[in-house]
Each structure stands twice: as structure tokens, then as C-alpha cells.
Amino acid sequence: MSHLTTRPSADQYAPYYATYIRLVPEGHSPLQQLREQPATLQQLLHGLTDEQARLRYAPGKWSIKESLVHVLDTERIFAYRALRIARGDQQPLPGFDQDAYVPASGADERPLEDILREYDAVRAATLSLLESFPAEAYERTGTASASPVSVRALAFMLAGHEAHHLHLLQKRYLPLLK
């Protein structure tokens, strides 16, 4: 998968996603980053109670549990987009309203352990899917959220999106628990 160390060009994704793509280090495979992130997450959340995982770093912000489920929802949606585009589907794919998904998820009512089990299952499925694509599939493009996107960009967006949320967890949430 060495072909995946080259970042997608700017015409392969909406400008909004540049932040996430930049969170995959230059020359690093997003699949490798996706493989590494579960250990980082486990280390950050080790020993956290369900009550602590309901922490919001500011009024109106998501809790740790809600943020985790948001990462899962987004991963599923991005992986679904990658599947469709990798298979040559040219139907425009709709966007989604993350701010509507989070309250509907009921994340704060779920045990953290259950969310982390789901995280492991989703990540395993995402990696299995992305690893199954032939090299040429990563160059295929389609339309999602009314913008062009490549399978390559989606792989980078997946890893970068989680990196963004891991950073927030480290910088905004965990310092409040010390």
C-alpha cells in the first residue's frame, strides 16, 4: 500500500477537508495511521469511568462519549462513500448533519466499554475494506456532499478526522479530568 503515502491533490476533495488531510503526516499511509489510532485511543481513555466520559469541555460541546460515536458515524459514512466510489458508482452521495446525529445517538446513555467495542469492530471493518481495494480504486472519484472526492482523499480524511478528535480529547477534555 505504498501507493497510499501520496496525499490527494486539492481537486480530489472539498476545501473543508484539507485540515483532516494535513493531519496525516507527509509520506505516511493513512491506513497505517488508522491501524495505530486504536492504541492511542485506548491509552488516552484507560481508566476513564462512564461518568468521566460524559464530560463536556464547555457548554454546548459534545461529551467524550458523543465525540467517540461521532467518529464512528463519520467513519462509517466515509467508508461507505469509499466503497461506492471504488466500485465505480457515479451517483452523487448526500451529506449528513453531524449535529443532528449526535443527540440521536444516545451515546451518553451507553457504557463506554460498549462504545469502545463498537469502535474496534468499525475500525476492523474499515481497514478490511480499504485494504481490499486495488491500487487503481484509490484514483477513482465521485461526488459526495456536492463536491468531488476520491477514494484516496476519503482514506486520508478518515485518518485525519480521527486525529482531529484525538487532539481535542488530549487538549480540551483530559486536562479537565486531572
Side-chain angles (χ1 to χ4, degrees), residues 41-42 45 50 53-54 63-73 76 105-123:
L41 182 67
Q42 290 291 343
L45 298 181
D50 277 328
R54 287 188 190 94
S63 70
I64 293 172
K65 287 182 181 186
E66 288 172 331
S67 293
L68 289 172
V69 171
H70 161 72
V71 167
L72 293 174
D73 288 349
R76 284 181 166 119
S105 74
D108 279 343
E109 307 315 312
R110 295 175 58 191
L112 179 60
E113 182 180 311
D114 180 49
I115 295 169
L116 292 173
R117 238 189 333 269
E118 181 183 355
Y119 172 92
D120 289 340
V122 170
R123 181 53 51 89

Side-chain angles (χ1 to χ4, degrees), residues 14-148:
Y16 171 83
Y17 295 108
T19 301
Y20 299 145
I21 289 170
R22 280 194 299 271
L23 291 175
V24 177
E26 195 73 48
H28 193 71
S29 165
L31 272 63
Q32 184 58 36
Q33 189 163 327
L34 287 166
R35 285 185 207 99
E36 295 164 357
Q37 287 170 330
T40 302
L41 182 67
Q42 290 291 343
Q43 179 184 15
L44 291 172
L45 298 181
H46 180 74
L48 208 64
T49 66
D50 277 328
E51 186 58 38
Q52 289 172 318
R54 287 188 190 94
L55 173 75
R56 298 166 194 281
Y57 69 83
K61 296 296 182 181
W62 298 336
S63 70
I64 293 172
K65 287 182 181 186
E66 288 172 331
S67 293
L68 289 172
V69 171
H70 161 72
V71 167
L72 293 174
D73 288 349
T74 303
E75 183 161 331
R76 284 181 166 119
I77 290 166
F78 286 2
Y80 173 73
R81 290 173 177 177
L83 169 66
R84 295 220 14 211
I85 295 166
R87 300 292 194 252
D89 191 337
Q90 289 297 300
Q91 291 294 316
L93 303 171
F96 70 104
D97 181 355
Q98 66 183 14
D99 293 319
Y101 275 44
V102 170
S105 74
D108 279 343
E109 307 315 312
R110 295 175 58 191
L112 179 60
E113 182 180 311
D114 180 49
I115 295 169
L116 292 173
R117 238 189 333 269
E118 181 183 355
Y119 172 92
D120 289 340
V122 170
R123 181 53 51 89
T126 298
L127 283 168
S128 181
L129 175 68
L130 295 175
E131 291 166 348
S132 77
F133 294 157
E136 62 271 13
Y138 283 93
E139 303 317 310
R140 294 188 185 124
T141 60
T143 303
S145 297
S147 294

